[in-house]
């Protein structure tokens, strides 16, 4: 499967930022503080109750001696361990109790992370999609850096290198949309667009980029969608990279739609992404760990099953994993 490098170069030349701020490729409504307060202070509104799910403790031998086939472990939310061809990859690792800049306030984890850093096999690569607290966790980054040192690379979107270097982490590969980086023999990481936004403080909104990632490992294509709303960009990704062997696609944090639709897909749109990118197999993420929005915590998988049935996609093509489950994609 060849990649049209000229098409990639053309896509990379499309502007998506100005005056030090990035923007989405398609016009996206921008909700300000007033809209946020309208959501938060709506009469009768309350966060749905949290739910703790059963946690499978991954078998250390399976993780330290993975099979020749690709192997995937869900740690919770958007955090996965992907293993293939001797490469151990983490996506948006968040292992802290809260997705917050504070230890005692902010969205809390209802099901523990399936692994601690001390329990992990040697990690070679971390894919970071953007800098929101439920996707970029400073304590986890520091723990990973302390344990695995210079043998660990972080792949980050444009504008995020400085955040890592300020914390003493210099083994960072930073890329803009449609750019790639060779990582090892026959392994290449592609930074691809998503439809979202960034920011960790009131003053740094969209000062760094948000993205999805695709790893091409000697022809096997692994896609991590990050955090995203639905847009034309996924058809473009499919045109350039399909077929994709394994995709991780968000299904949760989508209500209320008037506020969340531009930046968080509902399960019906998750299925469309699966189809648009030409995924052979997808796995649901971004649900069941933190209460971030208004839908019941266990609703996303139910809506996903209904969406798959309505859109004629076999349920086996879009898997919902259990917390801590270790699985060999077919």
């Amino acid at each position: 499967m060849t990649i049209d490098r000229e098409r990639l170069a053309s896509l990379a030349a499309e502007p998506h930022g100005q005056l030090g701020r990035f923007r989405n490729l398609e016009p996206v409504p921008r909700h300000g503080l007033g809209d946020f307060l309208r959501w938060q202070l709506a009469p009768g509104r309350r966060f749905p109750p949290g739910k703790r799910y059963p946690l499978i403790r991954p078998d250390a031998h399976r993780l330290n001696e993975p099979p020749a086939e690709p192997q995937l472990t869900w740690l919770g939310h958007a955090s996965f361990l992907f293993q293939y061809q001797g490469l151990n990859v983490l996506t948006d690792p968040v292992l802290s109790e809260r997705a917050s800049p504070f230890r005692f306030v902010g969205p809390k984890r209802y099901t523990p992370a399936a692994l601690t850093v001390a329990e992990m096999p040697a990690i070679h690569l971390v894919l970071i999609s953007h800098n929101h607290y439920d996707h970029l966790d400073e304590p986890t980054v520091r723990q990973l850096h302390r344990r695995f040192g210079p043998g660990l690379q972080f792949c980050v979107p444009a504008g995020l290198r400085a955040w890592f270097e300020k914390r003493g982490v210099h083994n960072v590969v930073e890329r803009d949309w449609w750019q790639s980086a060779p990582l090892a023999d026959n392994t290449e990481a592609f930074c691809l667009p998503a439809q979202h936004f960034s920011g960790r403080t009131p003053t740094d909104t969209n000062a760094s980029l948000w993205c999805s990632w695709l790893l091409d490992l000697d022809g096997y294509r692994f896609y991590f969608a990050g955090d995203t709303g639905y847009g034309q960009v996924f058809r473009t990704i499919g045109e350039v990279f399909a077929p994709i062997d394994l995709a991780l696609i968000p299904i949760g944090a989508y209500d209320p739609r008037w506020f969340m639709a531009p930046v968080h897909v509902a399960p019906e749109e998750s299925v469309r992404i699966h189809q648009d990118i030409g995924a052979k197999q997808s796995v649901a993420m971004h649900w069941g760990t933190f209460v971030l929005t208004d839908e019941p915590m266990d609703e996303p998988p139910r809506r996903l099953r209904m969406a798959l049935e309505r859109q004629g996609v076999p349920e086996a093509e879009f898997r919902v994993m259990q917390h801590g489950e270790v699985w060999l994609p077919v």
Side-chain angles (χ1 to χ4, degrees):
M1 297 179 290
T2 60
I3 296 170
D4 188 340
R5 301 286 173 167
E6 290 187 7
R7 176 88 187 276
L8 279 179
S10 175
L11 290 166
E14 296 179 7
H16 50 273
Q18 58 183 356
L19 301 177
R21 303 284 169 165
F22 294 97
R23 61 175 174 81
N24 287 293
L25 294 177
E26 300 175 36
V28 172
R30 185 171 178 179
H31 295 306
L33 178 61
D35 295 305
F36 177 77
L37 292 176
R38 175 188 160 199
W39 167 38
Q40 292 288 302
L41 302 178
R45 179 195 174 270
R46 63 179 59 185
F47 271 121
K51 177 178 180 179
R52 178 168 176 150
Y53 286 87
L55 176 63
I56 301 171
R57 290 294 181 183
D59 179 76
H61 177 76
R62 289 188 66 179
L63 301 185
N64 285 289
E65 300 290 339
E69 299 85 0
Q71 179 168 276
L72 187 69
T73 306
W74 189 32
L75 309 184
H77 200 53
S79 305
F80 287 83
L81 169 63
F82 173 72
Q83 300 175 277
Y84 186 48
Q85 292 190 345
L87 189 69
N88 296 332
V89 181
L90 291 177
T91 65
D92 283 357
V94 175
L95 307 182
S96 294
E97 289 302 303
R98 292 187 183 271
S100 168
F102 309 107
R103 183 174 296 180
F104 302 108
V105 67
K108 69 177 182 179
R109 179 185 294 275
Y110 282 93
T111 302
L115 291 172
T116 66
V117 171
E119 294 169 329
M120 291 181 181
I123 302 298
H124 308 108
L125 181 66
V126 176
L127 304 178
I128 300 293
S129 66
H130 65 300
N131 71 354
H132 286 160
Y133 286 95
D134 60 321
H135 292 261
L136 177 59
D137 180 50
E138 181 172 348
T140 303
V141 168
R142 290 185 181 276
Q143 291 168 33
L144 288 166
H145 179 63
R146 280 197 300 269
R147 179 166 181 215
F148 300 114
L152 171 63
Q153 276 191 316
F154 290 85
C155 284
V156 307
L160 259 187
R161 178 193 294 272
W163 184 92
F164 283 83
E165 292 184 341
K166 189 176 294 187
R167 289 151 180 83
V169 181
H170 298 280
N171 45 332
V172 177
V173 174
E174 183 183 75
R175 290 295 183 270
D176 206 338
W177 286 343
W178 305 111
Q179 293 180 346
S180 70
L183 300 177
D185 292 341
N186 300 316
T187 300
E188 189 170 7
F190 293 84
C191 179
L192 303 178
Q195 185 170 293
H196 201 57
F197 67 108
S198 68
R200 290 172 78 84
T201 73
T203 61
D204 69 344
T205 301
N206 295 350
S208 63
L209 197 57
W210 49 97
C211 73
S212 57
W213 287 97
L214 183 136
L215 292 182
D216 189 308
L217 301 100
D218 197 18
Y220 184 94
R221 291 180 179 170
F222 168 75
Y223 178 72
F224 171 56
D227 205 352
T228 187
Y230 181 76
Q232 166 68 35
V233 63
F234 296 104
R235 286 194 285 273
T236 305
I237 290 172
E239 290 167 3
V240 176
F241 291 102
I244 289 171
D245 296 279
L246 177 62
L248 311 181
I249 300 176
I251 66 166
Y254 49 74
D255 274 347
R257 293 310 288 152
W258 69 266
F259 189 80
M260 291 295 170
V263 293
H264 284 163
V265 289
E268 297 78 13
E269 296 164 315
S270 307
V271 177
R272 291 172 65 187
I273 292 176
H274 166 82
Q275 295 171 312
D276 286 351
I277 66 175
K280 296 178 182 178
Q281 176 74 62
S282 291
V283 171
M285 66 173 184
H286 206 264
W287 75 278
T289 305
F290 302 102
V291 174
L292 301 172
T293 50
D294 287 357
E295 76 275 4
M297 202 172 176
D298 57 358
E299 181 183 274
R302 297 199 305 270
R303 278 185 62 169
L304 176 64
R305 285 192 292 271
M306 291 187 291
L308 291 168
E309 183 177 356
R310 283 196 300 269
Q311 297 184 47
V313 177
E315 193 171 321
E317 283 188 16
F318 205 134
R319 185 180 179 91
V320 176
M321 294 179 66
Q322 297 183 63
H323 289 75
E325 181 180 357
V326 181
W327 174 63
L328 303 181
V330 294

